[in-house]
Amino acid sequence: MFDQAVARPIDQIIAISRAYQEDPRDDKVDFGIGVYKDATGLTPVMRAVKAAEQRLIDTQMTKTYVGVGGDQKFVELLANAVLPDHAYGTDMIGIQSIGGSGAVRVLAELALSLNPKATFWMPDPTWPNHRAIFGAVGAAMATYPYPKFTAEADVDAILQALDAAAPGDVVVIHSGCHNPTGIDPSPDDLGRLTEGVVARGMIPFVDSAYIGFGQGWEEDAARVATIAERTPEMLLALSCSKNFGLYRERTGAALLVGKRHANLAAANSALLSLARANYSMPPDHGAAIVRTIFEDPELKAAWLAELKEMRETINHSRTALALALARAKQDRDWTYIDKGHGMFSLIDVTPEAAQQLREEHGVYIIPDGRMNIAGIDLSKIDEIAAKLVTAV
């Protein structure tokens, strides 16, 4: 059997991370894998998370299964933190998932099982695993244009591309901190985009992996609400990897959102069936941490304060990098980096130039030019910028 296997290329993000770890140079720079890092290059455990974990150690009495749908109190608290008290005329139901990626996977399977003819429309560019996941479930795929090196999203161009979609098609929308560009439509433009999607009979598939990393938890959650209040139904994938620092705990939720939709429970039963066939039961630890934080006002306040610290660190790094690049190469407009949100931005390089940056300068960026800006050593920002502009 194994003789029939053909080696497949490794995911480019994982490959870049591995190459960075194996590089012995002291001055190497990691713009690769999407994790938050502090000024020392460490991805820290949040203090509120540590406190919640200690509370669990002291009080947890069992390690039995939590059920196919996971910790439903966690799901309820997280859902209400994004769409408070089922506001905006929406009902929500869903399951705990294995991170945001797991949420995208089971929601994609659900959508395709309910409409096998649906095409999945993604922004170009988008998170690379979107295409891998949708391809793995057998979905047809198409793209709509998205800005790379400008600070504004062209909603008219997006809607023009979606004119080719069929009613019932699924459209992926990053709710905020777009990966990989960092460029988000304004709230008004996001509302107009949603209205155009609904007018075309399409189903919004909202991927929300970075709530709190853009302008604040409430502000970023309000972007999800902007979509929810305008659409009769949508799929919502939530991740706690970044905003709680729970990367390895694989904590997320897959939600079905509808306007007083009588068939939500039936759709959720199909979601549970898919989860059961995929992985049977989700892990508990990360969800228990998030639930513990949300249930304790002091822990929640401490977590929000830490989240603000992380967001401000990222924003400071974005500004510093944009200014350093402007000093290094004045004939380019770098303001899109400063005006973006979240950890990611793009630089206009070819895969060959990205390889040259790695080999000659020890600067590790993804071949498509994606950069994770979190954790840049600001004491070396001009040196880093000078290396980057050799490739553009």
Side-chain angles (χ1 to χ4, degrees), residues 34 36 46 99-101 209 213 238-252 310:
Y36 172 82
M46 296 178 78
S101 298
F213 268 35
L238 297 174
S239 171
C240 298
S241 293
K242 274 70 176 180
N243 41 34
F244 285 87
L246 293 173
Y247 302 92
R248 66 174 63 170
E249 305 299 350
R250 312 311 302 132
T251 306
M310 296 163 69

Side-chain angles (χ1 to χ4, degrees), residues 210-228:
Y210 307 99
I211 296 177
F213 268 35
Q215 296 178 309
W217 180 272
E218 291 185 0
E219 293 86 348
D220 295 350
R223 297 180 62 85
V224 181
T226 293
I227 303 170

Side-chain angles (χ1 to χ4, degrees), residues 258-330:
K259 288 280 201 309
R260 305 291 181 249
H261 208 302
N263 217 36
L264 275 183
N268 193 61
S269 71
L271 193 62
L272 285 164
S273 179
L274 290 166
R276 175 65 169 161
N278 268 288
Y279 50 81
S280 185
M281 310 279 179
D284 174 64
H285 189 64
I289 290 169
V290 174
R291 171 175 47 77
T292 300
I293 290 172
F294 276 137
E295 287 179 331
D296 186 303
E298 290 187 6
L299 276 181
K300 183 178 179 182
W303 161 69
L304 285 171
E306 287 183 80
L307 186 59
K308 181 181 179 183
E309 291 173 12
M310 296 163 69
R311 180 174 64 255
E312 289 178 345
T313 297
I314 293 171
N315 289 340
H316 183 49
S317 295
R318 295 189 78 96
T319 299
L321 180 61
L323 291 173
L325 287 168
R327 290 191 293 270
K329 193 171 181 62
Q330 298 179 12

Side-chain angles (χ1 to χ4, degrees), residues 162-190:
L162 294 180
D163 283 338
D169 281 357
V170 175
V171 58
V172 176
I173 300 175
H174 298 230
S175 69
C177 301
H178 181 274
N179 179 2
T181 70
I183 302 303
D184 300 326
S186 68
D188 287 344
D189 279 347
L190 182 60

Side-chain angles (χ1 to χ4, degrees), residues 44-257:
V45 180
M46 296 178 78
R47 298 183 295 276
V49 166
K50 280 275 193 182
E53 284 187 303
Q54 187 60 55
R55 190 173 300 179
L56 290 171
I57 289 171
D58 293 340
T59 62
Q60 197 170 65
M61 301 300 293
T62 182
K63 292 291 186 182
T64 192
Y65 295 120
V66 291
V68 178
D71 183 338
Q72 284 297 296
K73 188 62 176 178
F74 153 78
V75 174
E76 177 188 343
L77 289 168
L78 181 61
N80 283 333
V82 177
L83 293 172
D85 297 322
H86 294 209
Y88 316 103
T90 60
D91 286 327
M92 291 180 288
I93 193 169
I95 65 172
Q96 178 190 332
S97 62
I98 302 180
S101 298
V104 171
R105 172 70 187 231
V106 294
L107 288 171
E109 287 193 63
L110 176 69
L112 200 63
S113 70
L114 298 178
N115 182 8
K117 295 181 179 180
T119 295
F120 284 58
W121 292 76
M122 299 168 287
D124 179 21
T126 192
W127 177 49
N129 217 24
H130 278 149
R131 181 171 290 278
I133 291 171
F134 300 149
V137 303
M141 292 175 280
T143 61
Y144 60 84
Y146 206 81
K148 293 183 178 181
F149 313 113
T150 62
E152 303 293 336
D154 188 343
V155 172
D156 291 330
I158 294 172
L159 292 176
Q160 183 176 358
L162 294 180
D163 283 338
D169 281 357
V170 175
V171 58
V172 176
I173 300 175
H174 298 230
S175 69
C177 301
H178 181 274
N179 179 2
T181 70
I183 302 303
D184 300 326
S186 68
D188 287 344
D189 279 347
L190 182 60
R192 191 160 63 89
L193 172 61
T194 305
E195 289 165 0
V197 165
V198 171
R200 287 161 176 78
M202 304 179 74
I203 311 300
F205 190 139
V206 182
D207 194 350
S208 296
Y210 307 99
I211 296 177
F213 268 35
Q215 296 178 309
W217 180 272
E218 291 185 0
E219 293 86 348
D220 295 350
R223 297 180 62 85
V224 181
T226 293
I227 303 170
E229 65 186 354
R230 288 170 169 79
T231 182
E233 56 184 6
M234 75 180 198
L235 309 170
L236 176 58
L238 297 174
S239 171
C240 298
S241 293
K242 274 70 176 180
N243 41 34
F244 285 87
L246 293 173
Y247 302 92
R248 66 174 63 170
E249 305 299 350
R250 312 311 302 132
T251 306
L255 300 180
L256 311 178
V257 184

